[in-house]
Amino acid sequence: MNFPEDLQYTREHEWCRVKGGRAVVGITDHAQDALGDVVYLELPKVGDVLKKGETFGVVESTKAVSDLFAPVSGKVVEVNDPLVDAPETVNEDPYEEGWMIQVEMSDPKELKELLDPAAYRKFLEEEAE
Amino acid sequence: MAQRTPLYDVHVKAGARIVEFAGWDMPVQYTGILDEHEAVRTRAGLFDVSHMGEVVFRGPKALASLQRLFTNDLAKCADGQAMYGCLCRDTGGIVDDVVVYRRSATDLLVCVNAANRQKDFDWLHGHAGGADVQNESDAWAQLALQGPAAAAVVQKLTAVRLGSVGTYRFTTGDVAGVPCIVARTGYTGEDGFELFCPPGRAPALWGALLEAGAAARVIPAGLGARDSLRLEMAYRLYGSDMDDDTTPLEAGLGWVVKLDKGDFVGREALARQKEAGVPRKLVGFTLTDPGIPRHGYRVLRDGQPVGVVTSGTRSPSLEIAVGLAYVPAPLAAEGSTFAVEIRGRAAAARVVKTPFYSKPKPASPGAAP
């Protein structure tokens, strides 16, 4: 399973890529694999204000429904709307084409609470036990 | 600990994702549910359904005894024929929905749902009426090869002339050298076979079927695809769409309730309910708003809860959201509208004819493009 070095991760299996004051957010390779074929997505609108840890959308596979949790607080400034019509992209390319939202961070200090790839891997191992 | 079928190790080796279902560790998917679903609709998929149970009625009273416990009419079931129906309580509530394989009037095999193995056996044995009733669930493994390529693949491995085994008929014979009940039955809406064999021989039969089907790109399929396939056909799933507190008439299974066949357990209650009219009915619906309906979601009408979704998914073949729901009888007609509550939002739904999916018809020669 692939966990790129330049990303930070949540215990709810979102990833976060920091670009200046913005965070690009998606779900991890582990999350897409555990869900199975993603067939439906609900994403927020540009302008919505998110609070770290709160749900910002829903991802559904054939069998399962899963909430999406905001890794950081801030305002949604971009949404990957084409994803809604091609949800399989989340399975095929979770870290690039499968990105979900971009957030203008209101409190970048929150990033410190996220996991680096090694810590996320360790968390997954512990979770599997 | 959950039980395992004789194919458990084969599934794990094949990379299956295992989940617990009805007390069994079962493969939910191998390559992916959509992949496996498509294989069954266009080629064939191989399912391990060894978790299903088998209860056998034998002896001079076998037919009469089972006839008293089954809602469909076994007098109309020939030897070598299978028949779908329900076992009901006095109240009309469904103990289980089952398929009866009539080998003869003195030897009938009842295929029951995995979760109901013990319950059904206790019920059938307790109401046996002089028949010899045995729980043979541990004596059988069951493999289902389903899809348009199924017959050609099985035929490669058997001398049984499958062309003479019609839909819902069965016979016995060796498949890949393994003695089997070869039944043209299934739970997918496709042509196909269910092969009942000795558990110890199941891995050999599994391997032989995949090998014989390799050229036709036959793949193993798990419970995930089994569920989406059956739901596209609006086949009911016991425990989700019906239970001890629902009647076959409410569940839309009136076609397997033969009130005129003579007395049977539950007949009186069902006759009364038919006379009075059912208060609620299981209907098929599609969503006209975005979303996917799921088991347990509420059905709303004018903002008020009036029913419940029992099964729902995004149909892989049709690419729309489909589901089954109990609704008040006045809302059951085709074209009726209601809402399904999805995470606090009311998603519009419409009652449609079932099955949701029907086989594409080949274009007629000379038809306009």
Side-chain angles (χ1 to χ4, degrees):
Chain A
M1 221 158 273
N2 174 29
F3 304 109
E5 283 300 321
D6 62 325
L7 306 185
Q8 292 174 279
Y9 301 86
T10 71
R11 289 177 176 79
E12 286 80 33
H13 311 291
E14 288 83 18
W15 58 260
C16 192
R17 178 182 289 123
V18 180
K19 284 184 178 173
R22 283 189 179 192
V24 186
V25 177
I27 65 169
T28 68
D29 200 14
H30 168 83
Q32 69 78 21
D33 182 69
L35 278 165
D37 296 312
V38 173
V39 294
Y40 181 78
L41 276 169
E42 279 178 15
L43 298 176
K45 289 187 209 51
V46 168
D48 285 1
V49 175
L50 308 181
K51 206 167 155 230
K52 177 181 156 66
E54 291 187 351
T55 64
F56 71 84
V58 169
V59 56
E60 298 196 34
S61 65
T62 315
K63 292 292 283 182
V65 183
S66 189
D67 284 324
L68 298 165
F69 296 94
V72 290
S73 306
K75 195 181 353 173
V76 177
V77 287
E78 256 190 85
V79 177
N80 190 1
D81 287 320
L83 212 54
V84 171
D85 291 320
E88 66 278 5
T89 309
V90 175
N91 296 114
E92 292 160 0
D93 191 3
Y95 298 118
E96 299 292 339
E97 294 292 311
W99 70 274
M100 293 173 175
I101 55 170
Q102 294 191 27
V103 180
E104 191 77 58
M105 290 183 281
S106 57
D107 184 6
K109 287 198 300 294
E110 289 172 345
L111 289 170
K112 286 188 199 139
E113 294 159 42
L114 301 180
L115 306 174
D116 65 21
Y120 181 60
R121 275 181 195 276
K122 188 150 173 278
F123 170 71
L124 288 180
E125 277 161 28
E126 286 165 4
E127 211 182 32
E129 273 164 20
Chain B
M1 199 183 88
Q3 301 189 71
R4 293 174 174 180
T5 79
L7 289 161
Y8 177 82
D9 291 338
V10 176
H11 301 319
V12 170
K13 222 172 275 172
R17 180 164 303 161
I18 305 291
V19 297
E20 190 174 328
F21 173 79
W24 290 78
D25 277 335
M26 297 297 291
V28 64
Q29 64 168 59
Y30 301 80
T31 52
I33 292 172
L34 299 180
D35 222 36
E36 294 159 27
H37 184 108
E38 199 232 346
V40 173
R41 286 273 179 257
T42 58
R43 308 186 309 272
L46 181 61
F47 299 86
D48 175 13
V49 287
S50 302
H51 59 317
M52 303 290 284
E54 294 82 9
V55 178
V56 179
F57 278 59
R58 286 198 187 84
K61 294 190 172 158
L63 177 61
S65 298
L66 188 51
Q67 180 78 314
R68 266 193 57 81
L69 293 168
F70 190 55
T71 59
N72 210 335
D73 187 0
L74 290 171
K76 301 223 166 77
C77 183
D79 293 350
Q81 191 173 358
M83 186 176 260
Y84 174 71
C86 293
L87 312 174
C88 284
R89 301 187 183 280
D90 280 324
T91 57
I94 303 171
V95 177
D96 201 2
D97 66 326
V98 302
V99 175
V100 173
Y101 295 82
R102 178 174 162 161
R103 293 188 278 211
S104 73
T106 58
D107 185 1
L108 302 101
L109 184 150
V110 186
C111 181
V112 308
N113 281 298
N116 295 338
R117 275 183 172 201
Q118 194 59 42
K119 178 178 98 164
D120 286 11
F121 174 70
D122 292 345
W123 174 258
L124 292 168
H125 188 258
H127 296 76
D132 171 27
V133 180
Q134 299 291 333
N135 190 352
E136 295 193 356
S137 298
D138 292 331
W140 294 102
Q142 223 188 107
L143 276 54
L145 187 69
Q146 299 280 303
V153 171
V154 177
Q155 190 65 80
K156 283 195 202 173
L157 300 172
T158 183
V160 173
R161 283 184 45 242
L162 298 179
S164 61
V165 182
T167 301
Y168 261 69
R169 302 275 166 165
F170 67 97
T171 186
T172 54
D174 284 4
V175 179
V178 177
C180 290
I181 297 174
V182 180
R184 203 159 200 153
T185 50
Y187 193 49
T188 61
E190 297 296 327
D191 185 26
F193 291 86
E194 292 179 308
L195 305 172
F196 298 71
C197 74
R201 309 294 297 278
L205 181 59
W206 178 270
L209 286 164
L210 285 180
E211 200 182 309
R217 289 191 296 132
V218 173
I219 58 173
L223 291 186
R226 186 168 157 85
D227 192 51
S228 54
L229 288 157
R230 70 93 191 167
L231 185 49
E232 285 186 340
M233 299 308 295
Y235 294 157
R236 279 68 172 144
L237 173 63
Y238 193 88
S240 285
D241 303 314
M242 54 202 178
D243 57 26
D244 291 280
D245 296 322
T246 50
T247 73
L249 302 179
E250 293 163 354
L253 296 176
W255 61 282
V256 297
V257 176
K258 300 294 155 65
L259 293 172
D260 55 1
K261 77 167 191 176
D263 196 26
F264 61 91
V265 178
R267 186 189 171 282
E268 224 173 280
L270 293 170
R272 264 202 314 273
Q273 191 179 50
K274 190 173 181 184
E275 177 73 27
V278 291
R280 58 176 180 164
K281 218 173 164 192
L282 194 68
V283 296
F285 67 90
T286 60
L287 287 190
T288 47
D289 278 339
I292 300 178
R294 303 281 182 183
H295 177 85
Y297 286 7
R298 295 196 298 180
V299 170
L300 307 177
R301 175 82 173 180
D302 302 323
Q304 294 304 306
V306 294
V308 65
V309 174
T310 57
S311 286
T313 194
R314 182 174 185 279
S315 154
S317 305
L318 303 170
E319 303 189 327
I320 54 170
V322 301
L324 300 174
Y326 280 105
V327 299
L331 282 181
E334 195 187 328
S336 298
T337 55
F338 52 80
V340 173
E341 188 181 35
I342 303 179
R343 295 180 285 276
R345 169 174 65 87
R350 190 164 51 87
V351 178
V352 298
K353 240 195 217 107
T354 54
F356 300 107
Y357 175 82
S358 46
K359 288 247 98 175
K361 290 194 181 68
S364 56

